[in-house]
Amino acid sequence: MTGSQVAPYGSWKSPITSELLVSETVGLGQIALDGEDVYWSEMRPKEGGRNCVVRRTPDGKISDVTPAPFNARTRAHELGGGAFVVAGGTVYFSNFADGRLYRLPPGGEPQPLTPADRDWRYADGIADTARGRLICVREDHTGSSHEPVNTLVSVDLQGSEQVRVLVAGEDFYSSPRLSPDGSKLAWLSWNHPNLPWDGTELWVAEMNADGSVGDSHLVAGGVSESIFQPEWSPDGVLHFVSDRTGWWNLYRSCAGGAEPLCEMEAEFGLPQWVFGMSTYAFASENRIICTYTQHGTWHLASLDTAAKQLEKIETPYTDISDLQASGGGVAFQAGSPKEPTALVLLDLTAGTMQVLRRSSQVAIDAGYLSAPQAIEFPTENGLTAHAFFYPPQNRDFTAPAGEKPPLLVKSHGGPTAAANSSLSLKIQYWTSRGFAVLDVNYGGSTGYGRAYRQRLDGQWGVLDVADCASGARYLAERGLVDGSRLAIAGGSAGGYTTLCALTFRDVFKAGASHCGVSDLEALAKDTHKFEARYLDRLIGPFPQRQDLYRERSPIHFTDRLSCPVILFQGLEDKVVPPSQAEMMVAALRAKGLPVAYVAFEGEGHGFRKAENIKRALDGEFYFYSRVFGFEPAESLEPVAVDNL
């Protein structure tokens, strides 16, 4: 690293500011293709986190489709996804404010399709145009039962507000898919205590003349086999992804059961945290365009289903998702260590790729960007874990001789999510100021096979913590970071890992929890239906193993905590309620430990408003400057730290 100024790590002036992050940045979401038109959703921090459906026509014109204040987002499963569908130029979408489905014809205004007086949530829809309806998942919150009721329903498109239940009886449903001739319906279902990456069932039913669902049969899956993304080929053969071998691979349904199309130690699937996820699509009857991950890197490929031959498609990207195909075009989200996530269109005929929309319009000089290094490191019990390491990088600065950088260990959410190597300006915010960052794919993360994902079964709060602590020690022992200035941060499940690491280990000197869990018993008693039994697998059945829930809840062991903590929380969070953070803050204040608490009105699980994204990022950096004793180069809004 070369630079013209010598300054302590943490005090480097960076052009990558929090204002820059939110002013020219959007969150790219669901993609849909309709003929030659490409549609996608954008989460816009500058519009209060509103999700807008956007259309790009073949002439290159890009325009907003859903007008303000409509917010194309669903709260089904609380986490959403699959909020809109397009057919013949008409967009059908879920509106976040009232939960109703709307029809938006070309050049028209949104028209409600579902009743206003019901607490119903919709997601994952498909157009059954021959029968004049949508088929989608409905989550019914109007009943008096403890949990909402999930079903597959049809919604009339003629304005009658008629909603008809097609399939019911299981705890959860997703991915309704009509065969090309409309004669069959496929779908996924699963039941407590499973989540979709644990075990799902793939069903197919005949469609009756009146549009009801007829005889059905189980195609694949079960309590210990995860099925992902069923799709019909253009000639009516059902395809799907299964992890029956320990890896999510592609299969097709046949008379003998399921036929593998490409057996690899690679993941063609993902944990279905939200609706509408897609890793493959049909370019023709015998050609699938797909994406898969190996060793933390995603690849694009073409699969000849007749010859069962996979041919890699070269791209500059290391992270690829949300893939859709239509005609000769393939659209997907992609990013690389040099580029933030973008919406890319691949022309299969010409073999050319075009960026349609970037998540960030910010252009950063490469001299300020830290390149991720994929590392493996030894962790406890003779195991190996994975991470991306980012050393400090700023072309204008070097540190004083002999000084080592502070380290921020990032613990992702899920906990089945995964860190990737796409350019993240939130990570570069830290590295360009003189922090090193370790983005950990601890045991339980996706992308390394089912066995790696299941390492966390019964071990949440133990194994993930061990991997984060081992990664920090690994870097400190090699002299790459300052072992006396190690911090850890994470959101949601990563917030729980953070609080456990600070409570049950003495490796870290500070930490930040964003919407994190402090009391597992409280979470088991008060969270949404989708995750209501998640802890059965990660911890143990409740209340039978109440002892484990108490043993692994940081709230009961604040006497072991001896370092400063900052907590950020959305006050409308239904996944991890605010009480989780508030209990922890009260306990730390009472103990006399340095603690800061930043709560956001109107925010749920994760922060969407520009001002709150800025406040959380700058607030965490300010907090570490006080704890680690460096002077930020810029003036930051202070955070009140009790007991400092």
Side-chain angles (χ1 to χ4, degrees), residues 324-584:
Q324 303 287 337
S326 176
V330 181
F332 51 88
Q333 288 190 44
S336 75
K338 296 181 180 180
E339 294 185 58
T341 302
L343 174 61
V344 179
L345 183 64
L346 167 65
D347 185 322
L348 290 173
T349 304
T352 56
M353 279 181 284
Q354 179 184 6
V355 173
L356 303 186
R357 182 74 160 106
R358 299 184 190 277
S359 61
S360 175
Q361 301 302 315
V362 176
I364 304 294
D365 186 293
Y368 298 104
L369 299 180
S370 175
Q373 303 168 15
I375 66 170
E376 296 181 2
F377 57 89
T379 185
E380 296 176 12
N381 300 314
L383 298 172
T384 298
H386 305 268
F388 292 102
F389 174 58
Y390 297 80
Q393 173 64 34
N394 185 316
R395 70 175 195 183
D396 301 327
F397 291 92
T398 56
E403 185 185 359
K404 295 185 176 103
L407 173 70
L408 178 61
V409 171
K410 292 181 67 67
S411 172
H412 64 66
T416 59
N420 64 62
S421 59
S422 283
L423 178 62
S424 165
L425 293 183
K426 283 188 176 180
I427 288 178
Q428 302 296 332
Y429 172 98
W430 295 96
T431 55
S432 61
R433 285 166 171 74
F435 269 70
V437 172
L438 186 69
D439 205 359
V440 183
N441 274 325
Y442 50 80
S445 303
T446 292
Y448 304 92
R450 187 178 178 102
Y452 193 82
R453 201 166 72 239
Q454 290 184 330
R455 276 190 193 178
L456 208 56
D457 288 0
Q459 295 296 310
W460 195 34
V462 178
L463 185 137
D464 49 326
V465 172
D467 288 356
C468 289
S470 296
R473 280 196 298 260
Y474 175 83
L475 295 177
E477 288 166 0
R478 277 153 183 75
L480 298 172
V481 300
D482 183 349
S484 67
R485 293 191 293 173
L486 305 176
I488 182 170
S492 189
Y496 169 67
T497 300
T498 293
L499 292 174
C500 284
L502 297 171
T503 302
F504 302 122
R505 302 280 176 141
D506 58 3
V507 174
F508 299 100
K509 308 304 178 186
S513 169
H514 300 248
C515 313
V517 178
S518 63
D519 185 345
L520 291 173
E521 290 180 88
L523 183 68
K525 295 173 183 175
D526 183 20
T527 191
H528 59 130
K529 179 183 177 181
F530 181 66
E531 294 184 70
R533 299 285 300 280
Y534 193 15
L535 301 189
D536 284 25
R537 186 177 294 266
L538 294 175
I539 306 291
F542 185 83
Q544 297 92 316
R545 292 311 312 270
Q546 188 172 18
D547 57 324
L548 283 179
Y549 282 70
R550 291 189 65 82
E551 282 175 22
R552 297 192 200 164
S553 293
I555 191 67
H556 300 306
F557 299 95
T558 52
D559 57 308
R560 299 190 192 179
L561 249 172
S562 59
C563 66
V565 187
I566 185 168
L567 298 96
F568 299 90
Q569 180 67 44
L571 295 179
E572 304 299 320
D573 195 338
K574 304 298 183 186
V575 179
V576 179
S579 59
Q580 291 274 336
E582 291 159 2
M583 288 187 296
M584 198 71 184

Side-chain angles (χ1 to χ4, degrees), residues 228-229 241 268-270 277-281 289-291 298 322-323:
F228 173 81
Q229 195 192 342
V241 175
F268 290 76
L270 288 163
M277 303 174 84
S278 175
T279 58
Y280 74 97
I289 306 299
C290 56
T291 180
W298 284 86
D322 297 292
L323 189 149

Side-chain angles (χ1 to χ4, degrees), residues 274-297:
V274 297
F275 291 104
M277 303 174 84
S278 175
T279 58
Y280 74 97
F282 284 91
S284 65
E285 288 185 1
N286 296 315
R287 188 184 185 192
I288 290 174
I289 306 299
C290 56
T291 180
Y292 64 91
T293 182
Q294 282 182 309
H295 312 298
T297 298

Side-chain angles (χ1 to χ4, degrees), residues 50-108:
R50 182 175 86 93
N51 286 257
C52 179
V53 177
V54 181
R55 177 180 60 236
R56 190 251 191 198
T57 49
D59 59 6
K61 182 182 178 183
I62 294 176
S63 57
D64 290 357
V65 177
T66 49
F70 286 96
N71 185 356
R73 181 181 166 202
T74 175
R75 281 188 60 186
H77 287 183
E78 295 297 341
L79 301 165
F84 75 94
V85 63
V86 189
T90 296
V91 176
Y92 306 94
F93 69 96
S94 166
N95 184 44
F96 187 70
D98 56 14
R100 300 173 78 184
L101 282 178
Y102 285 78
R103 176 180 182 269
L104 179 56

